[in-house]
Amino acid sequence: MSSQTFAITSKDLKEARRDGFFTVLTSFIGLAAIAALVTGAIALTTDVATYNAAKETLLALGKSLDVIASPEFYPLKLLRGAIEQVEIVGAVLGILVGFRTAVAERGRQTLALVLTRPLSKTQFLLGKVLAGTLLIAISLFTVFAVLTGMLAVSSGVPLTGDDLVRIGFVWVLATSYVSAFFLLSMLLTFTLKHPSSALLASFVIWLLVVLIAPQIGDTLDPDNQVAGGVFKQLHIPKVEQERIKQGFATYELVRNGIEAASVTKHFERASFAILGIKDTYTGQALTPILTEKRSDIFWIFGSFFLLSILTISNKLKFEKLSKES
């Protein structure tokens, strides 16, 4: 990294620390994730209390405990609500950071002045990209660190090294996912004539990618309409499930295609599998999960790197960029 790029990155990091804007956004996403974790912990505590009450009743009646199944406890499942908050609120955080990064330079009319220095447009934009990505990584690291501490306390079960590795991997994915929205917003704000148009376009894309496409995919999936899944509730064997699915291959292709168009769905699929939130992957080793989910992981990293390249290679025609009136 050149000294000019390092200077731009340092400047943005100092400004973020000074004005408190990023701290407010981090606090907001942190509170949303913590609220989701606490809600899950309360539900789990209720389930455990119900099981203990049933166990004591059976013991008092002199009956065997074999008639009730002992609940399986996987603390990482409590992170489901927090991951969903990162999907939605985290993407908003990325958009706001990207917009503010670009609009601050436009509002101060400093673009032309900065680029009169011995600094190329690529170095300038690379410095912005590095600063924003680093700020998002720090923000999400703080959120995940707090969640991990609360997870150990609320579950009453110490987390293993494998659990921490899984959380760390999801933090890397979350950083790439949120940074993709940061890059999208910054790219649009540095490209479109009016910043307000860029912000509007960013949120339209957010609406389509984060809310609409995943919701359509989930709604069209019959297995999501019954708790535990249709096939499981009807006790249909695996072989028969595959035969039934083949009869609806075109329908499933369209439904999956809608979901696959959303990077949010790829993030959810990968995170839920790695953390064992989805029952299919609960208790499985990490390596085979990463192998099976390599396509989803590729989409997340691919979106981040593609938007990074597009942003850094932006021609930055600052003479066409106007200060929003």
Side-chain angles (χ1 to χ4, degrees), residues 29 79 83 86 133-148 163-179 267 270-271 274-275 300-301:
I29 187 174
L79 291 175
I83 295 299
V86 172
T133 304
L134 189 56
L135 285 169
I136 289 170
I138 294 171
S139 169
L140 291 176
F141 179 83
T142 305
V143 172
F144 275 94
V146 172
L147 288 174
T148 302
D163 291 335
L164 296 178
V165 169
R166 289 171 189 259
I167 293 172
F169 204 98
V170 171
W171 165 66
V172 173
L173 291 179
T175 299
S176 299
Y177 168 74
V178 174
S179 295
F267 173 67
S271 300
I274 291 169
L275 296 174
I300 298 166
F301 288 145

Side-chain angles (χ1 to χ4, degrees), residues 3 13 17 24 27 44 50 60 62 81 109 125 129 138 182 199 214 220 230 244-245 250 259 275 283 314:
S3 58
L13 292 177
R17 187 178 59 183
V24 172
S27 302
L44 178 68
T50 302
Q109 299 287 290
L125 291 172
V129 168
I138 294 171
F182 154 72
L199 187 61
L220 294 179
V230 173
I244 294 173
K245 287 179 180 176
T250 303
E259 282 193 352
L275 296 174
N314 191 323

Side-chain angles (χ1 to χ4, degrees), residues 245-267:
K245 287 179 180 176
Q246 287 177 6
F248 296 90
T250 303
Y251 173 85
E252 181 60 20
L253 182 65
V254 172
R255 189 198 67 77
N256 190 60
I258 294 173
E259 282 193 352
S262 166
V263 67
T264 302
K265 200 63 185 178
H266 291 292
F267 173 67

Side-chain angles (χ1 to χ4, degrees), residues 267-287:
F267 173 67
E268 180 181 292
R269 286 175 176 175
S271 300
F272 279 16
I274 291 169
L275 296 174
I277 293 172
K278 192 168 183 178
D279 293 341
T280 310
Y281 301 97
T282 304
Q284 280 195 24
L286 181 58
T287 302

